[in-house]
PDB file of all heavy atoms in Angstrom:
ATOM      1  N   VAL A 320      20.786 -11.969 -17.226  1.00 95.00           N
ATOM      2  CA  VAL A 320      20.430 -10.603 -16.839  1.00 95.00           C
ATOM      3  C   VAL A 320      19.695  -9.929 -17.990  1.00 95.00           C
ATOM      4  O   VAL A 320      19.829 -10.314 -19.153  1.00 95.00           O
ATOM      5  CB  VAL A 320      21.684  -9.788 -16.462  1.00 95.00           C
ATOM      6  CG1 VAL A 320      22.453 -10.476 -15.343  1.00 95.00           C
ATOM      7  CG2 VAL A 320      22.595  -9.575 -17.662  1.00 95.00           C
ATOM      8  N   ASN A 364      21.264   3.055 -24.216  1.00 95.00           N
ATOM      9  CA  ASN A 364      20.484   4.115 -24.853  1.00 95.00           C
ATOM     10  C   ASN A 364      21.270   4.713 -26.016  1.00 95.00           C
ATOM     11  O   ASN A 364      22.392   5.204 -25.822  1.00 95.00           O
ATOM     12  CB  ASN A 364      20.150   5.201 -23.818  1.00 95.00           C
ATOM     13  CG  ASN A 364      19.371   4.652 -22.634  1.00 95.00           C
ATOM     14  OD1 ASN A 364      18.158   4.518 -22.689  1.00 95.00           O
ATOM     15  ND2 ASN A 364      20.079   4.328 -21.548  1.00 95.00           N
ATOM     16  N   ALA A 495      10.508  20.807  12.446  1.00 87.00           N
ATOM     17  CA  ALA A 495      10.017  20.657  13.815  1.00 87.00           C
ATOM     18  C   ALA A 495       9.562  21.993  14.390  1.00 87.00           C
ATOM     19  O   ALA A 495       8.546  22.064  15.109  1.00 87.00           O
ATOM     20  CB  ALA A 495      11.106  20.044  14.689  1.00 87.00           C
ATOM     21  N   ASP A 599      15.431   4.019  14.731  1.00 57.00           N
ATOM     22  CA  ASP A 599      14.759   4.751  15.791  1.00 57.00           C
ATOM     23  C   ASP A 599      15.184   4.196  17.150  1.00 57.00           C
ATOM     24  O   ASP A 599      15.405   2.997  17.308  1.00 57.00           O
ATOM     25  CB  ASP A 599      13.242   4.638  15.646  1.00 57.00           C
ATOM     26  CG  ASP A 599      12.753   5.347  14.392  1.00 57.00           C
ATOM     27  OD1 ASP A 599      13.600   5.910  13.687  1.00 57.00           O
ATOM     28  OD2 ASP A 599      11.545   5.316  14.137  1.00 57.00           O
TER      29      ASP A 599
END
Side-chain angles (χ1 to χ4, degrees):
V320 303
N364 301 276
D599 293 359

